Amino acid sequence: MQLTKRDLEILYWINRMRYVTVNQVAKKFKIGIWYTYKRLKKLCDDEYLYSLRIFRNKPGVYICTKKGAEISGSNLWAPKHYVNLANYEHDLKVVDLSIELERQGEWISMRELRQDSKTDMIPDGVLIKDGKKIAVEVELTKKSERNLKKKMGYYKRSIDYDEIWYFVSSRVVYDAVEKAAKEMDYVKIFYLSEVLKDEQQRAYANR
């Protein structure tokens, strides 16, 4: 298979994200679903990608193989070919969000952050916008007050970020984050539905 520049860009991006769906590749690179599926299948056949079906009624995902990561020029290791079921929905929402936020600036993925980090307190991603370094967190479920306070304590001590943006799924989660971030005016909270324009998510957030 003769790899095109677009193929290499797709492989490089997938390895940055860890795993993605065919719809996300199509949206990111502004190409049709049929063509995207055909190209990803070919990349799988030639062992540049690995496809994995997690749930019968939800999209499968694509993960870079070692061969795919290396040929793309990525300096990130190829991830293991498995998906933590508990993180599946969250991780894909982070990918969706990153595609939207990249319209505003440069996105640094968690995998890229982890490579150079000396702490396990890593945000879901970082957005570089207008000279600001913004930590991005996606919260789909309400975390315990203890865990939220621990994360906020880290951000209070950190000098790495100018702002922290939380994207939440519901009013319950919004209130919990708002309470934990009291008096931290550099913490901004948004509904995922407002960014992703997901009608189902919007209905859930307004309950």
Side-chain angles (χ1 to χ4, degrees), residues 1 31-32 42 46 73 80 101 103 113 131 138 151 165 167 185 187 189:
M1 173 184 180
I31 50 182
K42 186 62 177 174
D46 288 355
K80 294 181 179 179
L101 292 183
R103 302 174 192 272
L113 294 169
V138 173
K151 178 59 75 74
W165 289 2
F167 293 84
D185 58 2
V187 175
I189 312 172

Side-chain angles (χ1 to χ4, degrees), residues 3-178:
L3 293 180
T4 65
K5 180 181 177 182
R6 174 58 58 82
D7 291 329
L8 296 175
E9 290 172 345
I10 290 172
L11 290 171
Y12 187 89
W13 180 70
I14 291 175
N15 201 44
R16 288 179 60 216
M17 299 297 109
R18 190 173 189 280
Y19 57 85
V20 303
T21 67
V22 63
N23 285 336
Q24 289 172 332
V25 175
K27 184 173 182 180
K28 165 67 178 176
F29 293 94
K30 298 180 175 62
I31 50 182
I33 288 290
W34 180 85
Y35 176 82
T36 303
Y37 175 78
K38 181 180 178 181
R39 205 62 192 172
L40 294 182
K41 184 179 184 304
K42 186 62 177 174
L43 289 170
C44 286
D45 291 343
D46 288 355
E47 300 181 346
Y48 294 109
L49 288 177
Y50 178 83
S51 63
L52 189 61
R53 190 79 177 185
I54 309 301
F55 301 104
R56 181 177 298 177
N57 61 339
K58 293 185 178 181
V61 297
Y62 294 86
I63 304 172
C64 256
T65 62
K66 182 179 180 181
K67 178 181 176 182
E70 288 178 348
I71 202 168
S72 74
S74 175
N75 63 349
L76 297 173
W77 66 97
K80 294 181 179 179
H81 295 166
Y82 79 93
V83 172
N84 185 324
L85 300 184
N87 295 337
Y88 170 86
E89 183 177 358
H90 171 272
D91 291 347
L92 291 182
K93 284 295 184 184
V94 172
V95 176
D96 286 334
L97 182 62
S98 75
I99 294 171
E100 294 299 325
L101 292 183
E102 277 188 319
R103 302 174 192 272
Q104 302 181 37
E106 176 190 355
W107 178 262
I108 305 173
S109 71
M110 178 182 276
R111 297 198 74 219
E112 292 166 317
L113 294 169
R114 181 175 285 122
Q115 186 177 43
D116 300 319
S117 179
K118 296 179 180 179
T119 175
D120 60 353
M121 285 289 185
I122 303 170
D124 291 319
V126 166
L127 176 68
I128 308 298
K129 176 184 178 183
D130 300 328
K132 291 184 178 180
K133 191 175 182 182
I134 303 165
V136 176
E137 299 279 1
V138 173
E139 296 288 356
L140 300 184
T141 59
K142 182 183 177 182
K143 297 293 190 298
S144 69
E145 186 175 344
R146 178 182 178 182
N147 285 344
L148 278 173
K149 282 185 175 180
K150 182 179 179 181
K151 178 59 75 74
M152 294 303 175
Y154 165 73
Y155 283 130
K156 283 181 180 179
R157 297 188 301 272
S158 176
I159 60 173
D160 293 333
Y161 306 110
D162 298 293
E163 294 181 1
I164 297 90
W165 289 2
Y166 270 83
F167 293 84
V168 302
S169 63
S170 68
R171 185 71 201 184
V172 171
V173 181
Y174 189 108
D175 290 344
V177 173
E178 185 177 50

